Amino acid sequence: MRRTVSPFSLVVLGLGTFLLVLAPLFAWYVQPRAAVNPVDIDTTAVYTGRGSVFDLERVETVPDQKITVTQRVRGNVEESERSGNAVWDVTTSVDTDTSLPAADPHDALSFTPHRWVLDRRTTKPVHCCEATPRIEGEAYLKFPFDVQKRSYQWWDNTLRDTVVLRYRGTEKVRGYTGYRFTGAVPPTKTGTRLVPGTLVDQPDRPQVLAEEWYSNHGVELVVDQRTGRVIHARTGPRQTLRAPGGDKDAAVLLDAEKLAFTPATQQEAVRQAERDSGRLELVGETLPVGAAVAGCVFAALGGVLVARGRKVEEGPALSGKHRSALTD
């Protein structure tokens, strides 16, 4: 008696071995290469709220105005491919109803263009490609992938410095759960500006190099854990002018306790977070686990089939006399 191995047994065993090899490749090779920041990004986030703004025509601060902040992020593909990083050009405009809709963004109450260059995998800022200002910290427009339950250094472009955002638990945005982070900015001098002396309570001086001060009533972000995408944001900026060496605000340029994502911005952010998070979960968890389980099953089944084989009975060997008789 002898055993033979069927082709089917070898196929089952080979499939199981292949899946066992494939499982760690999904987790250790494919998933890290899928978790990269895009170079062709083109998104717009809109914040709205009410507050006080300085009216240049009336030369005074006007309270209870509707304020709209529009932040557009566009990837510079050519610069990104050349540098190997993600090069994002960012514009931020602040408007009231009197400046919207604006044919030219420079007609806004405030218009700020800048460039952020970030490592595609870690999201850390990279200082190249004419990036300005020199952004620091761990996060700016988004958090790193795989967000942790800890504090992060968030870059505040108005402050031109980082702000500590502390983890405050989870929160749902349109039914989707994210990590919530909060922080605040105390009054801080950010620069100087040449203005008429009357603006800072010095009417006897035609022009004064006034001090620019900035604070924030509160920054609140809800972030997708896997992708680091911000799915909801709230901020409370306050920008003022003080006389040189002054210890109190003389003019309010902008003061809003709450500017938050519009419902449309929230919805789009959640949609993109669900899509990208689902892809990362697929290649980082679902496929590796599925491949490992299926591989174990097929490998075990194939091993049993190969070990058992198929018994075949061998006939008696023909003697030389019999063989010669058959050939005569």
Side-chain angles (χ1 to χ4, degrees):
M1 300 290 289
R2 63 186 178 86
R3 296 180 183 272
T4 61
V5 178
S6 70
F8 176 75
S9 303
L10 296 177
V11 169
V12 173
L13 181 60
L15 179 60
T17 303
F18 172 74
L19 290 174
L20 288 175
V21 173
L22 190 62
L25 286 179
F26 275 123
W28 300 335
Y29 184 83
V30 178
Q31 196 273 344
R33 283 158 179 77
V36 294
N37 293 301
V39 300
D40 58 348
I41 188 174
D42 189 350
T43 64
T44 300
V46 180
Y47 301 69
T48 58
R50 304 196 72 85
S52 302
V53 297
F54 190 82
D55 190 314
L56 294 176
E57 294 183 357
R58 297 166 58 176
V59 196
E60 64 179 2
T61 301
V62 182
D64 195 28
Q65 298 292 298
K66 181 182 179 182
I67 301 172
T68 301
V69 178
T70 305
Q71 188 175 67
R72 185 171 187 183
V73 183
R74 301 185 67 180
N76 190 314
V77 177
E78 183 178 353
E79 286 286 349
S80 298
E81 292 178 345
R82 185 184 62 81
S83 67
N85 302 297
V87 181
W88 294 357
D89 291 321
V90 187
T91 59
T92 304
S93 60
V94 181
D95 291 276
T96 60
D97 286 343
T98 58
S99 61
L100 286 175
D104 186 341
H106 294 82
D107 295 336
L109 183 69
S110 171
F111 178 76
T112 308
H114 58 281
R115 171 172 287 185
W116 183 34
V117 183
L118 57 152
D119 185 281
R120 296 194 64 193
R121 290 189 171 86
T122 67
T123 314
K124 291 182 178 179
V126 180
H127 305 122
C128 75
C129 315
E130 301 180 357
T132 180
R134 187 182 174 88
I135 293 175
E136 302 290 353
E138 300 173 281
Y140 172 34
L141 301 174
K142 70 179 293 293
F143 279 61
F145 294 93
D146 190 24
V147 180
Q148 305 298 304
K149 297 178 180 180
R150 64 173 179 84
S151 297
Y152 281 85
Q153 294 286 336
W154 173 266
W155 175 261
D156 186 316
N157 202 52
T158 304
L159 181 65
R160 298 297 177 96
D161 202 350
T162 57
V163 178
V164 177
L165 296 186
R166 292 178 171 80
Y167 174 74
R168 301 297 187 185
T170 61
E171 183 172 314
K172 286 191 174 182
V173 178
R174 296 187 171 269
Y176 188 78
T177 302
Y179 285 2
R180 178 172 173 264
F181 295 86
T182 65
V185 180
T188 306
K189 181 182 176 181
T190 57
T192 57
R193 180 187 300 190
L194 195 63
V195 300
T198 54
L199 287 183
V200 290
D201 300 326
Q202 295 188 359
D204 56 328
R205 301 177 61 183
Q207 289 188 320
V208 175
L209 194 61
E211 298 176 356
E212 295 178 308
W213 284 71
Y214 166 76
S215 61
N216 200 300
H217 300 287
V219 179
E220 179 180 350
L221 305 175
V222 183
V223 183
D224 177 46
Q225 190 274 329
R226 278 195 180 85
T227 66
R229 179 182 293 275
V230 177
I231 58 177
H232 182 59
R234 181 184 66 81
T235 182
R238 177 179 170 86
Q239 294 174 266
T240 62
L241 294 177
R242 294 185 183 182
D247 58 0
K248 64 178 182 177
D249 297 331
V252 175
L253 303 179
L254 173 67
D255 187 12
E257 290 193 7
K258 181 180 179 182
L259 298 175
F261 272 5
T262 63
T265 297
Q266 286 183 32
Q267 184 174 354
E268 178 61 16
V270 168
R271 184 191 69 81
Q272 294 184 14
E274 285 182 317
R275 178 197 64 192
D276 296 342
S277 181
R279 292 173 179 173
L280 293 179
E281 182 181 14
L282 179 66
V283 299
E285 296 180 18
T286 305
L287 289 179
V289 172
V293 171
C296 289
V297 172
F298 281 111
L301 178 60
V304 170
L305 292 176
V306 169
R308 292 178 59 185
R310 182 164 59 92
K311 295 180 180 179
V312 178
E313 185 175 351
E314 294 182 334
L318 295 176
S319 65
K321 181 177 180 180
H322 289 156
R323 283 197 299 269
S324 63
L326 290 173
T327 55
D328 289 343

